Amino acid sequence: MARRKLIAGNWKMNGQLADGIALARGIAQEVKALGKPACEFLVCPPFTLLTSVKKALRGSKVALGAQDCHFNAKGAHTGDISPQMLKDVGCSYVILGHSERRADHGESDELICKKAAAAHAAGLKTVICIGETLKQRDDGKAIEVCTSQIMGSVPSDSTSTDTVIAYEPVWAIGTGKVPTTADVEEVHAAVRKVLAKKLGKGNANKMRILYGGSVKPGNAKELLSLPDVDGALIGGASLKVEDFLAIAKNSGC
Ligand code: 13P
């Protein structure tokens, strides 16, 4: 089953107007220069930059995503943004359940599942994040944790068209530490098995499972050539045009 790789940048809480626009323009230009790339590209800037980045990406094949959303369409939710609002400004994707949101905002699997269902209903694709802490890995519980996060945070009617999974070991995020390729492949294969149980084999075989956590130009090739790794969710290295593109090129895009 050929799955088109997704190269996704999570800009997190970085970028003011001028940097965001310059970064998006740079990425758009480089992706255009690839002609017909074998991969799909996505950038997820902070909310404040979505509209300007959308403009900067015009005419390119780079998709726009946000980093979170509420589960309601509108109403009295101070500080929140709805899936419909994201659609309105040109997003096609939203990242949900990132470990930084699970940690900083106490987001539960149940809440993430509710958000994902609302995002799908609004016509957005979701990138649902899972991943174990260092303690959980050391205790031999990585697969158990990821399994339970998939069971709890992925809506049961999700399909390979509206959902992407991102496996991001918490201890690998922003640390320069990366699991061995054997460990990455073991978790990705296990995740696909759980997806098959939850969503059926057809969806599981077609659903993209990204790896995230200290992906750099230098390790992209070995990580992204693993059989069940269908792209990358990139933090730090997605803030530099050269690094983001080098990761894509080194991954055969
Ligand atoms: P880094 O690539 O900076 O480790 O971040 C990964 C991540 O959290 C992407 O969502």
Side-chain angles (χ1 to χ4, degrees), residues 1-189:
M1 169 56 62
R3 293 175 294 264
R4 191 161 182 234
K5 282 195 169 60
L6 175 62
I7 306 296
N10 174 7
W11 295 4
K12 307 194 178 182
M13 196 172 71
N14 291 295
Q16 304 212 342
L17 215 43
D19 332 312
I21 293 171
L23 178 56
R25 279 196 186 135
I27 290 170
Q29 208 168 16
E30 292 293 321
V31 170
K32 263 190 218 162
L34 293 176
K36 281 197 180 144
C39 304
E40 190 186 334
F41 288 85
L42 166 67
V43 292
C44 302
F47 292 133
T48 49
L49 297 180
L50 288 172
T51 301
S52 327
V53 167
K54 179 72 188 174
K55 268 191 212 148
L57 295 175
R58 197 178 284 157
S60 80
K61 290 204 178 88
V62 182
L64 182 69
Q67 300 171 17
D68 180 47
C69 68
H70 198 272
F71 54 80
N72 277 327
K74 60 178 181 173
H77 303 286
T78 304
D80 280 314
I81 304 278
S82 75
Q84 286 74 7
M85 290 167 162
L86 298 180
K87 264 302 257 190
D88 188 41
V89 296
C91 288
S92 48
Y93 279 89
V94 60
I95 298 173
L96 291 172
H98 192 282
S99 60
E100 286 151 14
R101 291 208 61 86
R102 290 178 186 260
D104 295 353
H105 300 272
E107 292 198 1
S108 63
D109 287 333
E110 195 188 356
L111 175 66
I112 294 157
C113 189
K114 230 169 141 179
K115 290 181 175 195
H120 293 160
L124 290 169
K125 297 175 188 183
T126 53
V127 179
I128 301 177
C129 303
I130 58 164
E132 81 284 0
T133 62
L134 188 56
K135 167 130 189 16
Q136 290 164 334
R137 167 141 303 259
D138 288 344
D139 290 348
K141 293 200 168 132
I143 288 178
E144 192 184 311
V145 168
C146 291
T147 300
S148 125
Q149 288 175 335
I150 295 268
M151 293 312 282
S153 54
V154 177
S156 48
D157 59 353
S158 302
T159 67
S160 56
T161 313
D162 63 26
T163 305
V164 174
I165 304 296
Y167 168 55
E168 301 202 307
V170 177
W171 53 274
I173 295 175
T175 58
K177 290 185 194 144
V178 177
T180 63
T181 49
D183 284 345
V184 172
E185 183 49 27
E186 187 191 23
V187 174
H188 279 237

Side-chain angles (χ1 to χ4, degrees), residues 147 151 192-201 204:
T147 300
M151 293 312 282
R192 203 172 299 286
K193 245 188 178 168
V194 180
L195 290 171
K197 209 156 91 187
K198 188 171 170 102
L199 309 174
K201 263 197 170 157

Side-chain angles (χ1 to χ4, degrees), residues 205-228:
N205 287 338
K206 283 187 265 171
M207 192 168 286
R208 289 175 294 187
I209 307 172
L210 314 183
Y211 169 78
S214 296
V215 176
K216 307 280 178 228
N219 59 21
K221 189 177 177 185
E222 63 171 1
L223 287 166
L224 277 82
S225 57
L226 297 170
D228 281 300

